[in-house]
């Protein structure tokens, strides 16, 4: 039944391979995983075999001061060529010949000018834990796993904001949790929260640690003992209901594990945020996460059927799993987006779908960004968006091109072919203006092909030309490695970050242009020596608007306080977003980074409503991460 | 080789060069036909006139207003739409490079004939070129002569800058052939009094916004609204100002750059018309034949002309912290903007600021300074005394930050020769020249002739008036206030009284007062001890001179108030106001109760009425 290349019919087993392929090479992690403690509350399980879960000692396999797995990183080898190490990703072990030129050309960086990170954590720089002894005693008595090792505590003291990683690389450690605890089930969490209330310690829930909103930062003004509640050992699928197509899952499970395990039974949630390798189900709920394929499966708020959360007041949950209810304001919406300020999400019932039989990537080149946005708008209007549709601007297109590996069948030269063919043939395509949309279709084969035709027909009306499946696939794969690139930049005086917003359709172009321009100007005004990389893409489409993602990076040589400059520019960019009708956040959340704008974003009364909920649920501020409010 | 004359300007070093120099040395034809390669904003290519007009007609905004107008009037929407299309047709520009070339050729010829030189600041052009590439640019020249916009477009063409689209008055369009040439040179036409014609406003504003949004050409408009008959800056009008800023408020463009352009003439082409208009003699209708008759104008010498392109002012920078752009987030941007009071205030402030910048960058001629003394000596003045006083005034003006064109010591006699129609030197005495006409004359006619000469002279004084406004107002306040302590209060009162007469940025009273005090301190006429201001004895002359500058205005205000106090003015119609006041003033001039012939300026008389209205001394009701 093969029709060649990637347009093949796939079984659920193959699907598993595709997923792990676009994330990792096959699971072959040799690291010693600490297995989770068995919980007393036993549940029936579809498949007891667990692939490598997240170990308690995360720093054994993951970087303590950068993104992702320790074995995977970009570097410039002795020949000055960029390569990506490790064996996990399709890009692993490959040489990226154009990256150096792009890197040096874009940032004015130079491989001679290095800014290496502190190689190892200096344990003595970590402040000694401020323990609440009686709390610790009772916790031990209850049999909850815990640690006060500096490595464990430092690992859970941060998310992945630029300033957090930058400080770690410089070996600067600020306030870190005093204790890490690993509940292994809902009841453990109930116990921990009870004890925390009893002994007045501060709890900060920790899921995947991929926050980019300063949400995991310990408030420096907190004087109580801070306990990081790591949910990673609550990672089981408790049951799958094939009649209603739901799965009941512990909230600590990591995205890729959830998908892999469901795939084994022929199902998926379809929820694939860019962070899905590391982010957790509980984290998705707590931040109102969005997945790449939301057009088919929905965002997290569309996916959850039931949530169980442990709060200082007790456990909050609904009494049934009806698909929709009219029972006052939906209490799920107090939980979703609460960012760890109200309690710990322990278990979630989620919708599941059969693994789609067929999947196809695609890409479209547009003469310019305006045409691309117009096309996406039309696709949204006709409500025929594929599982995913993303539009990169020209700078990002060039960037993607710079990441092309040396030899690989799927990485057939794109621009060269395009230059030869389209550009010369259709003069309208200026390589400095064209932009690219990447597409992912899913479903049964017939419908996918039909759907594909429909989308390409619309694209043609906006001057779009189909540019092949490989480019599409590469675009999505790059999503997972892009976070690793920031670490490479930081080795050479380049710092950067991404941030996002959502905006009505009619403002998309204006917002993109104004924010990009604001970034460039702010950098110049603040003494940044080289023009920054200031680029964006439209990553989601909705009926009434789109989600826009900005990438922003610059060479900080010559600046005495680069992080301060960076933060000022990001602040200005957010002001610009808000002035142009964009939202405070589409899916990253507010955390502490964007708190100052909450009142403006939801009105004084709105903020008061949220505060009164917090006041009732957690009067002693046990969940004291001080996010959001 | 090009000779570049350095004009040392006091506030900033800007070099001016004569753009006619090259024209006198090379072919006008090849200048007109050379490759024109302007760098537009963001490489925007100009849409065709048709496409632009369609964009306007099909805009969400216009569709909305058309539906609203149709609902209000009961007319079918198609008719309203047709009406809108008609308005747009009448309004729209039709910029064509070929016509610019034609215009370029003819203007080369005409300008060389009229002017000895046209000085342009080089840095200004460089800044403008940069600005045009970065953001939509709004050119905001002052308006003193019909040829203002021709000169600007000519300069833009000569230096490969995008040819601006220009808001012009409908009367110009009336001149059949010329109107079409102007249209093809980028002029679009606006009705003088739009009043409450909703559809007209809608078409106009959407047209202007569309041009700003697409940014293919700079938009040029006169923020003063009209050509100033007094050569004094006029209180800015806010309609177009708001239209050009709206795309920025709504985030449709990153920024809008406002470029003040200060045009000054040694001698204004229309000088004789000006005085007549001010005296209430209606101006001739603008017709093509009228223009051709004006050919004799071409045979005269008009000296130099200066065009100073000011630094672009970023709307974004001005709005920083003052305008919350987020206020437009909740309504579709295509819908009419209900400008909040805060926003209107901002727009008003910007408009005033730009007029002030036009004033500040203006290059003044020696003649402008000479007229101060001439006007203060109705019986004439000795040449030696005139030059002496003018040189003294020159020092004062430079201290107050004026830009003067003062190449050499001969310049004063040159200036007098240039303005032979206004003043002449006989036996070492300089006097104003009165129009000669058939005699014998009535008393009224004699007054008119005298007034005509005075007003013509006064208009040149007005060109430089802004330099002395603040120190003069402080001097007046200090000498008339009950005590020195009350000086500032008095100043504020005078400022409010003269708000239609002189340009003050709203809300800047404190700065204005300080600026005035600074000026007086610098020339030693004012001392500050223990925060008390005191007028010094030594520099009484300066104080007397400065207060005398304002005297004609004060007298006019007094006289108009006095007339209005008469019983017959208990109620009066706006229409009859000017003629009644004029008649009364003439009587007072004949009887000698009023001394300044400037009291006959209908412009000042109107300003008095506005001031009294604003201050609540007069009220207006519709009958």
């Amino acid at each position: 039944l093969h029709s060649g290349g990637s347009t093949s019919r796939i079984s659920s087993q193959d699907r598993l391979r595709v997923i792990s392929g676009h994330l990792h090479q096959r699971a072959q992690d040799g690291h010693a995983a600490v297995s989770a403690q068995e919980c007393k509350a036993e549940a029936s399980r579809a498949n007891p075999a667990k692939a490598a879960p997240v170990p308690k000692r995360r720093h054994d396999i993951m970087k303590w001061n950068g993104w992702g797995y320790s074995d995977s990183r970009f570097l410039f080898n002795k020949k000055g060529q960029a390569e990506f190490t490790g064996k996990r990703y399709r890009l692993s072990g490959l040489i990226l010949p154009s990256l150096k030129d792009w890197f040096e050309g874009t940032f004015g960086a130079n491989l001679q000018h290095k800014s290496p990170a502190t190689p190892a954590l200096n344990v003595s720089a970590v402040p000694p834990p401020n323990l609440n002894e009686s709390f610790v005693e009772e916790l031990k008595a209850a049999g909850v796993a815990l640690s006060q090792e500096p490595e464990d505590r430092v690992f859970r003291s941060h998310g992945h904001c630029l300033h957090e990683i930058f400080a770690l690389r410089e070996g600067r450690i600020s306030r870190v949790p005093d204790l890490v605890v690993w509940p292994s089930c809902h009841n453990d969490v109930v116990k921990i929260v009870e004890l925390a209330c009893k002994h007045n310690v501060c709890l900060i829930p920790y899921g995947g640690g991929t926050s980019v909103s300063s949400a995991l930062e310990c408030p420096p003004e907190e004087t109580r003992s801070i306990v990081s509640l790591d949910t990673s050992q609550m990672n089981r699928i408790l049951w799958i209901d094939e009649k209603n197509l739901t799965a009941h899952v512990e909230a600590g499970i990591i995205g890729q594990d959830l998908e892999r395990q469901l795939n084994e039974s022929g199902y998926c949630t379809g929820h694939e945020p860019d962070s899905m390798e590391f982010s957790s189900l509980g984290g998705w709920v707590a931040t109102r996460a969005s997945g790449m394929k939301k057009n088919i499966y929905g965002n997290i708020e569309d996916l959850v059927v039931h949530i169980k959360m442990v709060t200082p007041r007790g456990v909050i949950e609904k009494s049934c799993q009806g698909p929709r209810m009219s029972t006052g304001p939906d209490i799920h919406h107090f939980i979703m987006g609460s960012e760890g300020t109200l309690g710990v999400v322990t278990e979630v019932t989620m919708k599941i779908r059969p693994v789609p039989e067929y999947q196809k990537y695609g890409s479209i080149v547009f003469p310019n960004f305006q045409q691309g946005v117009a096309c996406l708008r039309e696709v949204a209007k006709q409500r025929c968006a594929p599982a995913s549709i993303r539009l990169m601007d020209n700078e990002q297109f060039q960037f993607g091109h710079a990441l092309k590996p040396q030899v690989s069948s799927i990485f057939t030269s794109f621009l060269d072919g395009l230059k030869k063919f389209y550009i010369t043939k259709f003069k309208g395509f200026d390589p400095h203006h064209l932009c690219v949309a990447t597409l992912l279709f899913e479903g049964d084969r017939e419908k996918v092909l039909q759907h594909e035709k429909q989308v390409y027909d619309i694209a043609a009306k906006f001057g779009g030309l189909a540019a092949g499946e490989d480019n599409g696939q590469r675009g999505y794969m790059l999503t997972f490695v892009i976070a690793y690139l920031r670490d490479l930049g930081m080795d050479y005086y380049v710092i950067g970050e991404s941030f996002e917003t959502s905006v009505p359709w009619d403002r998309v172009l204006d917002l993109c242009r104004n924010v990009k321009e604001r970034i460039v100007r702010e950098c110049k005004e603040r003494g940044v020596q080289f023009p920054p990389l200031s680029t964006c893409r439209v990553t989601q489409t909705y009926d009434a608007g789109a989600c826009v993602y900005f990438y922003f990076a610059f060479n900080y040589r010559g600046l005495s306080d680069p992080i301060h400059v960076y933060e000022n520019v990001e602040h200005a960019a957010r002001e610009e977003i808000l002035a142009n009708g964009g939202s405070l956040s589409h899916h990253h959340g507010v955390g502490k980074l964007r708190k100052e704008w909450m009142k403006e974003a939801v009105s004084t009364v709105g903020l008061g409503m949220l505060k009164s909920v917090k006041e009732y649920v957690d009067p002693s501020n046990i969940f004291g991460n001080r996010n959001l409010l | 080789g090009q000779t570049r004359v350095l004009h040392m300007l006091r506030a900033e070093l800007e070099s001016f060069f004569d753009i006619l120099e090259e024209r006198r040395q090379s072919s006008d034809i090849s200048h007109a036909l050379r490759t024109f390669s302007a760098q537009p904003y963001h490489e925007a290519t100009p849409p065709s006139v048709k496409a632009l007009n369609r964009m306007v007609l099909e805009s969400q905004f216009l569709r909305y207003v058309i539906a609203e107008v149709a609902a209000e009037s009961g007319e079918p929407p198609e008719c309203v739409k047709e009406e809108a299309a008609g308005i747009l047709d009448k309004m729209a520009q039709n910029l064509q490079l070929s016509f610019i070339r034609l215009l370029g050729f003819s203007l080369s010829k005409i300008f060389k004939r009229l002017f000895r030189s046209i000085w342009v600041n080089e840095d200004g052009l460089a800044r403008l070129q940069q600005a045009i590439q970065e953001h939509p640019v709004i050119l905001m020249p002052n308006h003193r002569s019909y040829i203002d916009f021709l000169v600007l477009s000519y300069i833009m063409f000569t230096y490969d800058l995008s040819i601006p689209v220009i808001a012009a008055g409908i009367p110009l369009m009336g001149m059949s052939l010329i109107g079409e040439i102007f249209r093809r040179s980028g002029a679009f036409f606006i009705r003088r009094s739009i009043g409450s014609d909703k559809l007209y406003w809608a078409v106009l504003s959407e047209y202007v916004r569309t041009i700003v949004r697409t940014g293919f050409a700079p938009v040029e408009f006169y923020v003063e609204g009209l050509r100033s008959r007094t050569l004094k800056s006029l209180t800015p009008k806010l309609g177009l100002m708001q239209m050009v800023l709206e795309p920025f408020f709504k985030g449709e463009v990153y920024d809008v750059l406002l470029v003040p352009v200060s045009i000054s003439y040694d001698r204004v082409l229309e000088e004789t018309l000006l005085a007549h208009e001010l005296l209430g003699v209606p101006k001739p209708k603008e017709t093509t034949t009228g223009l051709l008759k004006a050919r004799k104008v071409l045979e005269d010498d008009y000296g130099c002309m200066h065009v100073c392109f000011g630094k672009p002012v970023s709307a974004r920078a001005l709005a920083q912290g003052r305008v919350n752009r987020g206020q437009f987030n909740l309504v579709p941007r295509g819908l009419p903007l209900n400008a909040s009071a805060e926003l209107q205030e901002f727009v008003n402030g910007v408009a005033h600021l730009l007029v002030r910048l036009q004033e500040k960058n203006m290059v003044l001629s020696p003649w402008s300074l000479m007229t101060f003394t001439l006007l203060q000596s109705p019986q004439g003045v000795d040449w030696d005394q005139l030059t002496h006083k003018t040189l003294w005034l020159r020092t004062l003006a430079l201290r107050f930050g004026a830009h003067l064109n003062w190449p050499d010591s001969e310049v004063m006699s040159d200036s007098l020769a240039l303005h032979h129609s206004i003043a002449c030197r006989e036996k070492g005495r300089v006097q104003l020249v009165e129009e000669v006409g058939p005699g014998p004359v009535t008393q009224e006619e004699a007054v008119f002739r005298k007034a005509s000469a005075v007003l013509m002279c006064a208009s040149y004084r007005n060109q430089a008036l802004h330099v002395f406004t603040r120190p003069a107002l402080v001097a007046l306040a200090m000498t008339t206030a009950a005590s020195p302590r009350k000086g500032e209060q008095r100043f504020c009162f005078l400022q409010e009284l003269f708000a239609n007469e002189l340009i003050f940025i709203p809300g800047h009273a404190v700065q204005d007062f300080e600026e005035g005090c600074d000026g007086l301190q610098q020339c030693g006429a004012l001392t500050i001890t223990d925060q008390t201001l005191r007028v010094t004895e030594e520099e009484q002359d300066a104080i007397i001179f400065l207060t005398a500058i304002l005297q004609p205005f004060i007298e006019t205000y007094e006289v108009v108030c006095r007339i209005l106090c008469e019983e017959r003015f208990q109620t009066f119609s706006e229409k009859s106001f000017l003629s009644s006041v004029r008649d009364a003033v003439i009587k007072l001039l004949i009887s000698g109760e009023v001394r300044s012939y400037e009291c006959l300026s209908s412009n000042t008389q109107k300003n008095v009425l506005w001031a009294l209205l604003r201050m609540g001394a007069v009220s207006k009701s519709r009958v």
Side-chain angles (χ1 to χ4, degrees), chain A residues 4-20:
Chain A
S6 54
T7 61
S8 56
R9 194 174 283 265
I10 47 174
S11 71
S12 59
Q13 284 303 316
D14 290 337
R15 166 69 189 152
L16 168 62
R17 214 177 311 124
V18 170
I19 282 277
S20 57

Side-chain angles (χ1 to χ4, degrees), chain B residues 279-406:
Chain B
L279 287 170
V281 184
K283 75 166 177 174
K285 217 174 157 236
E286 285 144 9
T287 61
T288 309
T289 44
L291 196 89
L292 292 176
K293 271 186 203 156
R295 243 189 3 197
K296 74 170 170 86
V297 167
L298 293 182
E299 272 136 40
D300 226 337
D301 174 5
Y302 291 89
C304 305
M305 169 183 182
H306 279 81
V307 181
C308 180
F309 291 91
K311 291 205 175 93
V313 177
S314 152
R316 177 174 274 263
L318 291 179
Q320 178 73 39
R322 292 195 54 199
V323 175
N324 167 23
R325 285 180 290 145
Q327 67 184 292
F328 310 114
N329 286 351
L330 296 179
V331 181
R333 290 183 298 171
L335 263 45
L337 167 77
N338 284 323
S340 59
E342 167 217 34
L343 198 72
Q344 285 172 10
E345 205 180 291
F346 174 76
V347 172
N348 190 31
V350 173
H352 277 82
L353 173 68
L354 264 292
V355 177
R356 282 290 290 137
L357 289 172
Q358 289 171 353
E359 290 185 340
K360 281 203 161 160
N361 294 335
M362 189 123 72
V363 178
L364 301 173
S365 66
W367 174 247
S368 283
L369 296 188
M370 291 164 76
T371 55
F372 280 84
T373 304
L374 276 174
L375 286 166
Q376 289 187 19
S377 341
Q379 308 308 321
V381 57
D382 285 338
W383 171 250
D384 291 342
Q385 205 186 346
L386 176 62
T387 52
H388 178 76
K389 274 205 150 181
T390 304
L391 284 173
W392 171 78
L393 192 55
R394 175 179 176 239
T395 318
L396 200 63
L398 289 173
R399 276 207 185 118
F400 294 166
H403 303 320
L404 298 174
N405 171 34
W406 208 290

Side-chain angles (χ1 to χ4, degrees), chain B residues 103-122:
Chain B
L103 207 66
F105 178 74
S106 357
L107 289 180
S108 289
K109 299 281 180 218
I110 295 171
F111 287 160
K112 279 190 282 188
R113 209 150 170 191
L114 288 174
F115 299 109
R116 298 177 193 171
S117 48
I118 298 179
W119 299 97
V120 178
N121 63 330
E122 206 170 2

Side-chain angles (χ1 to χ4, degrees), chain A residues 67-106:
Chain A
W67 179 260
Y69 298 108
S70 308
D71 55 19
S72 302
R73 57 185 292 250
F74 283 97
L75 54 80
F76 287 111
N77 63 25
K78 285 184 183 122
K79 289 183 193 159
Q81 288 176 313
E83 61 177 88
F84 192 52
T85 65
K87 293 174 181 163
R88 292 171 186 272
Y89 300 87
R90 303 195 82 139
L91 218 51
S92 297
L94 297 179
I95 302 280
L96 312 162
S98 339
L99 188 58
K100 175 175 174 271
D101 284 348
W102 177 85
F103 184 70
E104 292 186 334
T106 304

Side-chain angles (χ1 to χ4, degrees), chain A residues 109-184:
Chain A
N110 187 320
L111 297 197
Q112 309 307 316
H113 301 297
K114 291 203 70 176
S115 51
T118 313
L121 174 63
N122 175 8
V123 176
S124 62
V126 182
N130 161 29
L131 293 175
N132 183 317
E133 295 298 345
S134 36
F135 172 76
V136 177
E137 284 311 308
E138 287 199 49
L139 214 54
K140 277 182 182 161
V144 176
L146 48 81
S147 161
Q148 40 177 294
E149 294 301 318
E151 290 89 349
D152 289 324
R153 290 161 51 219
V154 169
F155 199 99
R156 286 155 189 82
S157 67
H158 65 87
H160 283 272
C161 286
L162 176 70
H163 67 269
E164 295 172 315
I165 300 301
F166 196 87
L168 290 176
R169 287 172 61 93
E170 295 204 320
R172 280 186 283 118
I173 310 289
S174 40
R175 182 85 157 94
V176 304
D178 300 298
L179 187 72
V180 181
V181 300
W182 286 273
S184 56

Side-chain angles (χ1 to χ4, degrees), chain A residues 217-510:
Chain A
E217 255 175 23
C218 296
E221 65 270 37
E222 180 61 69
T223 53
R224 298 172 294 183
S225 180
I226 298 181
V227 176
S228 178
L229 191 154
D230 186 325
T231 60
S232 63
Q233 307 309 307
M234 304 197 299
N235 54 18
R236 296 164 301 171
I237 295 174
L238 297 175
W239 45 255
I240 290 175
D241 178 348
E242 300 193 275
K243 291 213 169 75
N244 293 308
L245 286 180
T246 54
H248 191 62
V249 189
E250 286 184 315
I253 196 165
I254 297 305
Q256 57 168 319
D257 296 339
L258 175 62
E259 265 340 67
R260 181 166 50 228
Q261 289 175 44
L262 285 173
N263 285 176
E264 284 163 10
S265 318
Y267 294 104
C268 67
T269 63
H271 186 68
E272 295 186 12
D274 288 357
S275 61
M276 74 176 288
E277 290 175 276
F278 305 106
S279 60
S280 70
L281 170 55
W284 300 338
V285 171
T287 56
R288 295 181 63 88
S290 171
M292 174 183 104
K293 299 194 291 195
K294 72 96 194 153
N295 292 337
I296 293 183
Y297 301 96
N299 285 319
I300 196 72
E301 67 272 22
D302 311 306
L303 282 164
V304 295
V305 175
H306 185 267
I307 307 174
K308 204 191 256 186
M309 178 164 81
V310 181
T311 77
R313 280 274 175 192
V315 175
I316 176 173
E317 62 179 320
K318 292 185 186 173
S319 66
C320 71
Q321 305 203 29
R324 182 185 187 275
M325 304 175 197
S326 176
T327 47
D330 191 337
I331 56 159
H332 282 173
H333 287 283
F334 289 120
I335 300 170
M336 286 187 288
S338 60
E339 303 193 358
T341 59
L342 300 177
V344 188
V345 177
T346 55
E347 291 171 15
V348 177
T349 307
M350 258 183 120
K351 297 180 195 169
I352 56 171
R353 299 291 304 165
V355 172
E357 82 170 83
Y358 189 69
Q359 197 179 39
K360 191 173 180 185
Y361 289 100
S363 64
I364 305 167
V365 207
F366 292 98
N368 55 46
F369 192 63
Q370 288 88 315
Q371 293 284 76
V373 170
C375 173
L376 260 62
R377 204 280 162 268
E378 184 60 28
V379 166
K381 199 186 229 169
Q382 297 192 21
R383 289 196 171 168
C384 64
S388 168
I389 178 165
R390 288 178 171 178
L391 179 75
M392 297 186 261
D393 69 2
N394 182 264
E395 290 87 347
Q396 242 173 73
F397 160 74
Q398 313 249 3
F399 170 44
H401 189 241
L403 286 172
K404 208 180 61 180
Q406 201 161 31
V407 228
S408 169
S409 61
I410 82 151
F411 299 110
T412 44
S413 168
F414 174 41
L415 189 70
D416 297 345
L418 207 71
K419 259 183 192 156
K420 265 187 225 136
F421 200 70
Y422 293 119
I423 293 180
T424 53
K425 213 164 185 184
F426 301 85
K427 281 184 189 157
F429 285 70
D430 177 345
H432 297 289
H433 285 134
L434 64 79
C435 72
V436 143
T438 58
L439 313 168
L440 174 62
F441 296 93
E442 263 187 27
D444 65 63
R445 193 183 149 81
E446 286 301 304
K447 279 189 185 144
V448 162
L449 295 179
Q450 215 179 332
H451 193 179
E452 192 186 24
K453 185 177 180 314
Q454 188 185 7
V455 172
Y456 284 124
D457 284 351
I458 293 173
K461 287 190 193 130
F462 296 91
L465 300 167
E469 290 172 51
D470 294 347
N471 291 305
Q473 188 171 11
R474 190 151 53 94
Y476 288 102
M477 185 217 36
L478 292 180
T479 303
F480 296 98
V481 295
I482 208 159
Y484 285 100
L485 265 171
R486 186 172 74 181
D487 292 336
L488 176 73
M490 281 199 276
D491 288 338
Y492 296 92
Y493 287 96
V494 172
I495 51 177
E497 183 80 282
S498 60
F499 47 89
E500 42 73 27
T501 187
S502 55
V503 60
W505 276 116
D506 71 314
R507 290 171 177 269
V508 169
L509 277 177
D510 291 330

Side-chain angles (χ1 to χ4, degrees), chain B residues 190-229:
Chain B
I190 305 177
R191 237 155 58 188
R192 263 287 176 264
S193 49
I194 304 171
S196 57
D197 188 338
K198 198 168 165 179
L199 191 63
Y200 195 89
W201 268 115
V203 174
L204 172 63
S205 61
E206 188 58 23
Y207 187 66
V208 171
R209 283 190 300 257
T210 307
I211 296 170
V212 175
R213 266 197 297 263
T214 50
F216 65 91
V219 173
E220 179 181 323
F221 78 99
Y222 300 113
V223 69
E224 296 169 296
L226 314 159
R227 187 164 54 87
S228 170
R229 269 59 166 172

